[in-house]
Amino acid sequence: MKEMFAYALVAASCLASGAVAFSPSQQQWKHGGVSSPRETSSSSLRMGFLDGLFGGATAENSPAASAGYPKVEVPPDFEVPEPKPLTLTRSSDLPSVLKSAASLAIRLATGVFVLGWKIDTVFAPEEEGKYALQLGPFRLRDSSSVLADAPRPEQPLILYEYDASPFCKRVRETINLLDLTVEYRPCPGARAGAFSEEMYEKTGRRTVPYLVDPNTGKELFESGDQIEYLLGAYGPPEDMYDKKALWPITFEAFSVATATWVALLRDMPGARRQPNARPDNERMRPLELWGYECSPFVRPVREKLGSLCLPHVMVSCSRGSANRDRMVEKTGRFQVPFLVDPNTGVEMFEAPEIVEYLEAVYTVKE
């Protein structure tokens, strides 16, 4: 009965994807201003988060790394916003949140939970650096029953994709399911942008999704093949979970149809390169985005990154993800989306302000 009640609590909180959880006081969020690039060491520009995930190796295997990175500047009046958990800060954002919530329902909440999600306790003690969801008198701690010993890649995988593609979406959902950290290289409509050109030069094709695994040398087209590869390479042994439960992803006709409805509902995000996007955006250091595919709060940030053709490393944070503890350990809180920009040194929460920041920094001003 206790477990049934816990499941109901989590289900009620699924739409609150920007939920926050606190550990005991460790690191206070600093409001206002940003470190000057001259005051920020090269090690801190790597932000340290991916260092913890990949032993210091960030996703810098783009051709841009050897060519040098473009210079970008934070607007002089920019201030890091104060995190406001579980708050819709602007009424103008309500239609977007409602569309995202409807999209979540259409896709049957696929990607909300990691594979093998389980509730550990609904009375979690307060522990420093540990995530727990506070719901009234309850503190819910969850994890995966099957991913703890699953193989983890030493380097982030790379996915050439665009947001509205239903085939790309089912691969991204699998990535969340397996709690993987992957670099996304946006190719609007599969044919626009420098990453599409890069893919064509490597393969002679402009087809997405295109998955590259630098850990094994494997390169794959076709979403179904990629899903099978990811489950085999980075999932638990098949006898540890029921593969039939993955049918919202693996049943291709259903997943493609519903993902198409979602793309139409969201006005085909990322299908075109934003006209005023900086022409050198693809050469930027990959930004870090902490979140997960179906979060209504993460969605507009992902869409903006895609339309600006900005490479970004997505750190999966679905329910039960080990990365939730990592965020709490580093920032003292859990809240998504969380953006880390190694090109400027900015770290920030709050989706509307992140979108405005990206627009201000990575577009050409007339």
Side-chain angles (χ1 to χ4, degrees):
M1 177 64 73
K2 185 190 298 182
E3 198 165 286
M4 292 279 291
F5 181 60
Y7 273 84
L9 287 174
V10 173
S13 70
C14 279
L15 290 182
S17 304
V20 63
F22 292 94
S23 70
S25 130
Q26 171 192 355
Q27 181 177 341
Q28 296 300 316
W29 179 255
K30 295 179 181 177
H31 174 252
V34 61
S35 301
S36 160
R38 289 188 295 273
E39 300 169 358
T40 310
S41 70
S42 60
S43 62
S44 65
L45 278 178
R46 290 201 306 269
M47 297 301 148
F49 283 15
L50 291 183
D51 294 355
L53 290 171
F54 297 104
T58 58
E60 294 186 350
N61 46 4
S62 164
S66 58
Y69 296 108
K71 278 186 64 175
V72 291
E73 294 182 354
V74 177
D77 59 346
F78 173 78
E79 286 194 356
V80 174
E82 182 180 352
K84 296 182 178 69
L86 294 175
T87 304
L88 188 64
T89 55
R90 305 176 188 182
S91 58
S92 57
D93 295 328
L94 182 59
S96 174
V97 172
L98 291 176
K99 285 182 179 181
S100 295
S103 302
L104 178 69
I106 291 170
R107 285 296 297 133
L108 304 182
T110 305
V112 167
F113 305 99
V114 296
L115 186 65
W117 177 77
K118 69 182 178 75
I119 294 170
D120 298 322
T121 178
V122 294
F123 301 106
E126 290 194 2
E127 296 179 79
E128 188 170 305
K130 296 293 185 182
Y131 166 80
L133 177 63
Q134 187 81 47
L135 292 170
F138 303 99
R139 281 180 55 83
L140 187 147
R141 182 158 174 80
D142 51 5
S143 63
S144 169
S145 61
V146 297
L147 290 180
D149 297 321
R152 301 288 86 181
E154 292 184 5
Q155 301 178 62
L157 283 67
I158 300 166
L159 186 68
Y160 293 76
E161 53 86 45
Y162 72 97
D163 199 90
S165 165
F167 300 97
C168 296
K169 185 173 182 64
R170 61 198 297 253
V171 176
R172 294 194 304 263
E173 290 172 344
T174 305
I175 287 166
N176 284 165
L177 195 75
L178 295 173
D179 205 23
L180 298 174
T181 296
V182 174
E183 180 188 338
Y184 292 144
R185 295 184 178 176
C187 305
R191 298 183 173 275
F195 288 132
S196 176
E197 192 62 35
E198 178 181 287
M199 178 174 60
Y200 181 75
E201 289 175 2
K202 288 176 63 176
T203 69
R205 296 174 62 176
R206 297 185 191 272
T207 306
V208 293
Y210 170 53
L211 180 70
V212 178
D213 187 345
N215 304 281
T216 63
K218 197 79 171 175
E219 300 183 8
L220 293 166
F221 287 103
E222 305 305 329
S223 60
D225 294 341
Q226 292 173 21
I227 291 165
E228 287 300 317
Y229 171 75
L230 292 170
L231 290 170
Y234 300 112
E238 288 191 17
D239 60 0
M240 292 185 67
Y241 69 100
D242 183 3
K243 202 168 182 181
K244 296 191 191 76
L246 306 184
W247 72 266
I249 293 175
T250 56
F251 180 20
E252 185 170 348
F254 174 82
S255 62
V256 169
T258 52
T260 300
W261 297 341
V262 166
L264 292 171
L265 182 64
R266 295 289 306 173
D267 302 318
M268 298 298 291
R272 290 184 297 275
R273 195 179 202 273
Q274 189 168 313
N276 65 338
R278 283 181 53 144
D280 54 2
N281 275 352
E282 288 92 337
R283 292 180 48 230
M284 301 291 174
R285 290 180 180 89
L287 286 69
E288 272 179 45
L289 179 63
W290 292 63
Y292 51 105
E293 174 72 15
C294 61
S295 164
F297 297 94
V298 175
R299 185 108 299 280
V301 178
R302 260 276 306 158
E303 292 172 358
K304 178 58 71 172
L305 289 166
S307 65
L308 292 174
C309 290
L310 284 167
H312 54 286
V313 175
M314 187 80 174
V315 184
S316 293
C317 296
S318 298
R319 291 223 58 89
S321 168
N323 291 325
R324 294 194 173 212
D325 280 353
R326 293 190 177 103
M327 184 189 287
V328 171
E329 184 180 351
K330 295 293 185 182
T331 71
R333 67 192 298 119
F334 175 81
Q335 184 179 330
V336 293
F338 177 55
L339 182 78
V340 180
D341 187 347
N343 299 294
T344 62
V346 167
E347 302 180 8
M348 60 189 297
F349 296 96
E350 295 301 322
E353 285 82 357
I354 291 174
V355 170
E356 288 179 352
Y357 163 81
L358 294 172
E359 183 74 25
V361 175
Y362 293 104
T363 59
V364 176
K365 310 301 180 291
E366 295 182 0

